[in-house]
Amino acid sequence: MRIPQSIEFEFILNLEKERLVSRAFSKLSKFGNSNFALGILFSKRIWGPPESNGRITFPRQYNQEKKLSSVSDACETKKIQEEDMLGEFNKAHEAIRSLDSSIAKIRFELPSTKAFLGTRKIEDLPTMITTDSERTEIRRKPFIVIGINTAFSGRRRRDSIRETWMPQGEKLLRLEQEKGIIVRFMIGHSATSNRILDRAVDLEDAQHKDILRLDHIEGYHELSAKTKDFFATAVAQWDAEFFVKVDDDVHVNLGTLAATLARHRLKSRVYIGCMKSGPVLHRKNVKYHEPEFWKFGEAGNKYFRHATGQIYAISKDLAKYIANNRRILHKYANEDVSLGAWLIGLEVEHIDERSMCCGTPPECEWKAQAGNVCAASFEWSCSGICRSVERIKLVHSKCGESATTLWGALL
């Protein structure tokens, strides 16, 4: 059973509340101990043993007055400490009240929490912190959401990825829970009325549970629209730090990719991939023809710098920007050009990451042997791995990362 993020947030607030209470009582306890010690000091200074002859000499009177003065100072100090302690306690009390208010708001106002709880109470929820031998019910915040672009005709490609670099079953769930890495094939719906293709994908997803359905009509010339729909759907479902799009004929090393993105996690707006600037093709009947070529200047001009479409990553802020403005973002013929156009006018850091566009063996194999494992591998001549269904296993055996790289990664 997956617990909504609102419940997880409530759990964190409760922990903070307990910390504040513990801190307040710890200070009061220390204050009480200091009062006890002060009482002992006071008693020692005031009640000395009686004189044997019943007389008090002037030197002793002087000492007694000196002691009384010290006790008076101590009492004044105690009063100041007492006021300070009361002030600290009041602050803690106000903080606890604020947390209680936040918890109440989460419990009763958020729709996701209401839907999850139904008629149950918070106390009826499963234990959130378990022993090492038990699986925790709290999912860690997603780090990366990876959408693998695929089509209805791509079943064999999907299976080849499942057999190589994409974990399956319990391992896929473990990848999400332990590493915050979510991997899904993304696909829309067919334009036909009989829905045979859609039913086939639904059955496939019931078997593997690794497909993200988009509110999108599939078609090769609709890749720009599909990209917008992917970001909109993924952002609505997961609060991840990065969102990655990759084609289904590319080999990916998930641990290496995650480590690569982790180097930029403190930046708010980053666009990561293999940056290129290809020619604007104005001639008709050629692959990658750009009908709006005139917008890019004279014939023979090149596109602005953008990440190649086989694989790229954008940070959360940029994914949200695309999701929120998808209705008015212009689509060019080529999906990677469209993404570059959406971001070029923003304060975005373009990061040219060459480990995301290694060649297939022997290139990626040599790099792996040298300790520079590639995040992604494909062939430029095919805009992916040529004959990927037959060859991706070879690429994986030669260029795949070790299991330790993925499962031992500190993310």
Side-chain angles (χ1 to χ4, degrees), residues 19-290:
R19 186 186 69 79
L20 286 169
V21 172
S22 175
R23 179 182 176 189
F25 277 97
S26 174
K27 291 190 174 183
L28 287 174
S29 176
K30 291 179 181 178
F31 177 60
N33 291 337
S34 66
N35 282 345
F36 179 73
L38 187 61
I40 294 175
L41 179 64
F42 183 87
S43 64
K44 284 184 177 180
R45 290 188 173 182
I46 295 298
W47 305 109
E51 296 297 323
S52 59
N53 57 6
R55 294 185 298 107
I56 301 177
T57 61
F58 284 105
R60 179 168 295 279
Q61 183 177 2
Y62 171 79
N63 291 336
Q64 193 75 349
E65 290 174 353
K66 191 174 182 180
K67 289 180 181 180
L68 287 172
S69 177
S70 298
V71 170
S72 177
D73 292 340
C75 288
E76 185 65 26
T77 301
K78 184 189 78 142
K79 183 179 180 181
I80 294 173
Q81 290 177 341
E82 191 173 50
E83 292 174 352
D84 289 342
M85 289 300 105
L86 289 175
E88 287 291 328
F89 184 81
N90 287 333
K91 288 180 182 178
H93 181 64
E94 289 300 320
I96 291 168
R97 287 182 59 187
S98 176
L99 288 172
D100 281 337
S101 176
S102 298
I103 291 170
K105 184 176 180 180
I106 290 172
R107 280 185 174 181
F108 301 112
E109 292 183 10
L110 290 182
S112 60
T113 303
K114 290 181 180 179
F116 176 77
L117 290 176
T119 58
R120 292 171 292 180
K121 299 178 180 179
I122 292 291
E123 293 76 9
D124 296 331
L125 293 176
T127 303
M128 291 185 176
I129 298 180
T130 63
T131 62
D132 291 339
S133 61
E134 297 173 326
R135 187 183 302 276
T136 179
E137 288 292 338
I138 294 181
R139 272 54 167 180
R140 62 161 289 170
K141 183 178 182 293
F143 176 44
I144 314 170
V145 174
I146 301 173
I148 307 172
N149 183 35
T150 190
F152 288 111
S153 60
R155 176 61 192 262
R156 294 181 64 205
R157 285 188 177 185
R158 294 192 290 275
D159 286 341
S160 69
I161 288 177
R162 292 181 179 119
E163 294 169 2
T164 52
W165 61 265
M166 181 180 179
Q168 289 295 290
E170 286 295 321
K171 287 187 176 180
L172 185 63
L173 183 61
R174 179 187 167 198
L175 187 69
E176 297 177 14
Q177 294 176 339
E178 295 184 10
K179 299 301 176 184
I181 301 175
I182 296 168
V183 188
R184 295 288 188 275
F185 292 103
M186 58 164 171
I187 190 169
H189 298 276
S190 65
T192 59
S193 58
N194 56 24
R195 309 295 250 180
I196 295 177
L197 296 175
D198 291 298
R199 287 198 293 271
V201 171
D202 290 339
L203 290 173
E204 183 182 346
D205 185 39
Q207 177 185 357
H208 296 284
K209 296 179 175 58
D210 60 3
I211 296 177
L212 177 66
R213 300 304 296 269
L214 306 178
D215 185 16
H216 169 79
I217 302 300
E218 285 292 323
Y220 178 78
H221 297 292
E222 295 297 327
L223 290 180
S224 295
K226 186 175 183 179
T227 298
K228 289 195 289 186
D229 290 335
F230 163 63
F231 288 130
T233 304
V235 163
Q237 191 163 339
W238 295 288
D239 183 27
E241 297 182 46
F242 291 97
F243 293 84
V244 177
K245 177 263 176 180
V246 59
D247 289 338
D248 62 359
D249 55 356
V250 173
H251 179 268
V252 177
N253 283 317
L254 292 173
T256 303
L257 175 63
T260 300
L261 298 183
R263 295 199 298 267
H264 308 287
R265 70 190 314 170
L266 297 181
K267 303 172 183 178
S268 59
R269 294 178 299 278
V270 288
Y271 173 32
I272 307 171
C274 291
M275 299 294 165
K276 66 175 186 178
S277 179
V280 180
L281 301 178
H282 64 281
R283 295 177 55 188
K284 294 182 178 180
N285 302 322
V286 297
K287 192 176 182 180
Y288 306 128
H289 164 63
E290 178 56 72

Side-chain angles (χ1 to χ4, degrees), residues 295-310:
K295 290 184 178 180
F296 298 93
E298 301 301 324
N301 280 359
K302 292 185 176 182
Y303 288 112
F304 40 77
R305 193 73 62 179
H306 62 278
T308 188
Q310 287 84 352

Side-chain angles (χ1 to χ4, degrees), residues 378-389:
F378 58 88
E379 292 157 315
W380 290 101
S381 60
C382 296
S383 297
I385 298 175
C386 301
R387 305 191 319 278
S388 65
V389 173

